[in-house]
Amino acid sequence: MGGYQPNGRGPDVRAPRWTPPPSPYAPQPPRRMPPRPLALVVTALAAALVTALAFLLIESPWNGDGKAGPAPSGPAPSGSPSPAPSPSASPSPTPSPSEPASGPGASGEADEAATPPPHPLPSRIAYRNVRDPAGFGLAVPDGWERDYVSDLEIFYTPDNREHLIQISVESAAETSPYDNLAGVEQTVSAQFRDYRLLNLSRLDAAPFGPAELEFTYTHPRFGPRYTVDQVFYGADGRRYALLAAGPLSERGKIRELYRRALDSWCLTGCPAG
């Protein structure tokens, strides 16, 4: 009969094959980490970039230790950001609640009464057009020389950065200009002596439109200081920051440098000389 051995001993029941248990000392397979949500990655990257920007600001020559200056950073929206309008065509900024009633552009009697700088600007400033190797053009005062540290730290200055124009260029920025400057402002307000915010504002209603930061503080070496900075996206998709800084007593002339640089800003078809 099926199932019986020929010798008649009964059913052919075979013991199962014995398999030894795994050794507790055997190497464990590597653990696979779950993928991080894209939003968390972007948030962490943005925070790191703002931190790097704040470090550059605090270590800048116009904050006292002779190193390099501020740099914008952050993600652009999905795809390429809409090209921002020319900074010179931007509407006047809307003052923030913390801005003094006199407005960000007013020079004020206290500014004019401050101690004159060692190397004052001339009463009438002559300009020349420069085409920078980093791919942009602008007008700078005659006699100002280019001082290149990196694409985040391109300076034009006549006097070892007592007066300066700084341009920063970023090809892979992700945060909006306003968010970038808001992060910078939060850091410098806690670090700069005698810091006073004059203006932090969007210059148009577009989410990734240009933004401006303007403030004063006391520099350990240069004394009372005035700084104005605009961050914006260019038609080439890169993000730029253009900053002017100098003695508080020359606030009106520093703003002239700033406006002239923005009004002459170009990426293609830039005039020479």
Side-chain angles (χ1 to χ4, degrees), residues 13-255:
V13 179
R14 299 183 179 181
R17 178 175 297 176
W18 180 79
T19 303
S23 168
Y25 303 102
Q28 299 297 314
R31 297 178 59 187
R32 300 190 61 180
M33 300 297 293
R36 300 179 66 182
L38 178 59
L40 292 179
V41 175
V42 171
T43 300
L45 176 61
L49 290 171
V50 169
T51 300
L53 171 59
F55 174 78
L56 287 172
L57 273 168
I58 294 170
E59 295 298 314
S60 70
W62 41 271
N63 189 36
D65 65 4
K67 297 181 183 177
S73 39
S78 304
S80 299
S82 300
S86 170
S88 60
S90 301
S92 299
T94 301
S96 67
S98 57
E99 180 184 335
S102 60
S107 60
E109 296 180 1
D111 297 353
E112 300 303 325
T115 303
H119 309 96
L121 295 171
S123 56
R124 293 180 62 86
I125 302 173
Y127 293 86
R128 63 187 175 92
N129 294 310
V130 297
R131 178 71 182 180
D132 194 274
F136 58 84
L138 76 167
V140 301
D142 282 343
W144 287 37
E145 299 295 331
R146 185 177 190 260
D147 180 7
Y148 178 84
V149 179
S150 71
D151 281 354
L152 296 180
E153 303 158 320
I154 303 170
F155 298 95
Y156 285 88
T157 177
D159 48 21
N160 197 27
R161 305 182 192 173
E162 179 184 343
H163 301 83
L164 65 87
I165 294 172
Q166 180 183 347
I167 305 94
S168 299
V169 184
E170 275 199 293
S171 299
E174 295 182 345
T175 58
S176 72
Y178 181 84
D179 289 343
N180 172 236
L181 287 178
V184 170
E185 197 281 329
Q186 184 177 16
T187 298
V188 299
S189 64
Q191 298 290 339
F192 285 13
R193 184 161 64 93
D194 301 329
Y195 175 84
R196 181 186 178 208
L197 174 65
L198 302 180
N199 177 48
L200 171 61
S201 61
R202 303 177 190 272
L203 300 184
D204 67 27
F208 277 73
E212 183 176 83
L213 172 63
E214 187 177 9
F215 59 89
T216 64
Y217 67 102
T218 299
H219 190 291
R221 182 159 56 97
F222 292 134
R225 197 89 166 138
Y226 170 72
T227 299
V228 57
D229 186 9
Q230 185 173 138
V231 177
F232 56 93
Y233 280 99
D236 58 357
R238 298 193 297 178
R239 195 172 67 186
Y240 297 90
L242 193 153
L243 175 150
L248 180 58
S249 62
E250 296 184 299
R251 178 175 172 181
K253 290 181 180 178
I254 301 304
R255 278 205 65 89

